[in-house]
Every structure is written in structure tokens, then in C-alpha cells.
Amino acid sequence: MNGVRFNHLLGLEGMSREAITEILDSAEAFLEVLERPIPKVPSLRGVTIANLFFEPSTRTRISFELAEKRLSADVTNFSSSNSSLVKGETMLDTARNIEAMKVDVVVIRHFAQGAPHFLADRISASIINAGDGAHEHPTQALLDMLTLKHQIGALDGLKVLILGDIAHSRVARSNIWGLRTLGASVKVCGPLALMPREVEEMGVEITHDLNEALAWCDVVNVLRLQLERQQEGLIPSLRDYQRSFGLTRKRLEMAGGDKVIMHPGPMNRGVEIDSDVADGSGSVILRQVTYGVAVRMAVLYLISGGERIIE
Ligand code: NCD
């Protein structure tokens, strides 16, 4: 460890290359732990972690919980998919309760952008953002980068296309920050109605022509069409969306070359991605899930001090 220290992981915006690299390097060590017959180390023995999920999640919640258990932490879970607007007092009460229970680390997913930052300002526990509204999802982007490092090697100069519903995607934002910091080129492609203008200020190029974008890239990260976040009328129809922006085998063949295919899940098969692409030879979608556990172990380990040896 070269001594980068983290109190919180709120987002990848502004995170240094050194810090990202340290997380990815530590994740390599934990990947090795996960290969062992007993994939468990005592690194976080005595550390108490609360997983607070205010929005539905399967993959991310299970991945964090597994990572915590593989590090021997004490874990408690709270889930509520009640998406009525949470008032300031309610979050403050949550914060006070966490403080009173002497929790060391809080992993929070919340439908409101900034909820993790709100907690970080008010309690002494370390906060990890597991997705806040359409803002950031840093551990997803880190696991995506770890997957690419394994699959391809250095990220410097790599051409990554992020395809689909950019407007509602915290995965897109965190990936753009992280990939740009590590020297990759990023393009985004999707319908005009799902393309926030501010992505241009993040140093990425926008295109609405999928064929052209596919001819350019080495990697395609396909995003879920977030049907639950759509306002009426943004997309004429799913069929229409699929026709212009769905990733199909035929389109990939037309673009030529081997592409790495990623998707953070959950997938709408037959909408943003066809099954023969999702399950095809270029797909690393399940590998992303495996690497997710190692990345979360690394983040939890570094946030808790990173001093104890990985035995
Ligand atoms: C993403 C999320 O929740 O932000 N999924 C995930 O964490 N694996 C993307 C999505 O919901 O489409």
C-alpha cells in the first residue's frame, strides 16, 4: 500500500489517479483471496457495517454484503423501497441512530442525489455511496475498470462507448469520471431525449449514430433503459428504441473487430441488448459481477484504515 487514505467514497468526481489505482491494485489481492478454498480473511474483524438500501437492489446489495462477510466484518442490513420523498429530518434521524449504534461504515443507496454526502457531513462513520439518484455509483465504475484492466490491460488510450440511457445513469457518470482520470477516451451514444448536455463538459463526445460509434470503440458499456425513471414521452416506444440503439449481433458484425461487451445489470434483454450479445463471446457481464466483490472488499478495507495485513 502506498498510503492513500480514504474516509469516504462518495463519488469518482475529483478522485486522483493514485487513489483509483490503489483501489484497483488492492482489489487484485482480494481477487486472489476469492479464489481460495475458504475465501475469507480477518481484515475487518470488529468493524461494524450498516447497509442502508432505500431503493431496490439485488446485485449491489448482495455484492457489498458478501464483500463485508469475506472480510469478517459485523454486518447489519436495512432495506426500504419506499420512494416517497424523504424529509430532511428523517435522514437526520437516520444519521443520529447510526451514530448512537456506533456503526463504523455505512453503505448507502438512495434515490435522492447527495444523500451519502448529507450523511458524511453529519456523522463520524465512513460513508460509501452505493448509488445516489442519477448522480454517482462509484463502486460500479471501479469494478468496470477492474474488469477492463483484466481483459485488456492499461486503460490509457482505450476507447470506451457508453450506450443508452445516459440521462438517468449514475453508472455513466461515475464511469466517465473514472475512465477519463485513467486516460481512456469516452463517447456516449443514445437518443437526444436521454442525453444530458453536461456530459460534454465532462470531456466526452456525444453521438446519436450507433453504427459510427461502434466502428470507433474497443469497449461497449450498455446501460439499462431505466423504465422506472422515464418521464412520459421521452422514448416513442421500446421497439423504436431497440431499432435505433439496441445492441445486436448484426450491428456488432457490421462494425467489425472484437469488442468487449459490458452491462452493469439488470438487463432488459431484447431492448438495449440482445441475448446473443449478452451471452456471446465478447461479453464480460458475469465477470463484472465477480470483480465487484473484490473491488468492494478493497474499498471497505482501505476505508477502514487498510493497515491490517490481508492474511
Ligand atoms: C445500476 C444501478 O442501480 O445504478 N445497477 C447496478 O448497480 N448493478 C444500473 C441500473 O439500475 O440500471
Side-chain angles (χ1 to χ4, degrees), residues 59-60 109 137 140 170-171 224 226 264-266:
R59 216 171 322 253
T60 306
R109 165 165 290 194
H137 190 353
Q140 178 68 44
R170 49 197 176 209
V171 175
R224 183 174 66 92
Q226 301 206 15

Side-chain angles (χ1 to χ4, degrees), residues 44-63:
L44 294 198
R45 200 181 282 154
V47 174
T48 305
I49 304 180
N51 299 313
L52 309 184
F53 278 72
F54 293 91
E55 213 187 44
S57 165
T58 318
R59 216 171 322 253
T60 306
R61 191 173 47 78
I62 293 174
S63 180

Side-chain angles (χ1 to χ4, degrees), residues 118-177:
F118 179 94
L119 279 189
D121 286 344
R122 283 164 184 81
I123 59 177
S124 56
S126 289
I127 310 295
I128 299 176
N129 182 0
D132 63 327
H135 180 224
E136 282 232 36
H137 190 353
T139 56
Q140 178 68 44
L142 288 164
L143 76 87
D144 290 343
M145 290 189 279
L146 183 66
T147 308
L148 287 176
K149 251 188 83 194
H150 264 252
Q151 200 64 23
I152 294 178
L155 301 193
D156 249 313
L158 194 68
K159 293 178 188 152
V160 181
L161 173 66
I162 305 181
L163 169 63
D165 183 353
I166 311 293
H168 299 100
S169 180
R170 49 197 176 209
V171 175
R173 272 176 196 72
S174 291
N175 260 281
I176 292 170
W177 292 123

